[in-house]
Amino acid sequence: MLVFAAVVLFLGAVFNVITWPRFFQRVANDTRARDAAGKPTTFYTVHLVLLLVALAIAVASILAGILLFV
């Protein structure tokens, strides 16, 4: 059961690491990401926070998966 839990944690981490940065590239290139002056908008900031949270969860998942084997 521990191996299954570790695999699920690793798969979730891989998903976050692969999916969110590619998604954020699309957000950064979206016209809603910057205002007329070129400053980041709330749209950009919210998605940046989502990216950072997803990557933090990925790191926590990897650490938890490793700790299951220790």
Side-chain angles (χ1 to χ4, degrees):
M1 190 66 177
L2 290 178
V3 172
F4 174 74
V7 168
V8 169
L9 288 167
F10 292 141
L11 288 175
V14 168
F15 176 82
N16 280 340
V17 169
I18 290 173
T19 305
W20 278 96
R22 302 239 337 134
F23 174 73
F24 188 73
Q25 286 176 343
R26 297 176 91 183
V27 168
N29 292 329
D30 194 302
T31 57
R32 297 171 288 179
R34 304 262 176 203
D35 62 13
K39 291 185 178 184
T41 62
T42 305
F43 175 82
Y44 181 89
T45 305
V46 165
H47 285 88
L48 177 61
V49 170
L50 289 172
L51 168 71
L52 295 175
V53 168
L55 293 179
I57 290 170
V59 169
S61 295
I62 290 170
L63 290 175
I66 291 170
L67 289 174
L68 283 175
F69 289 125
V70 175

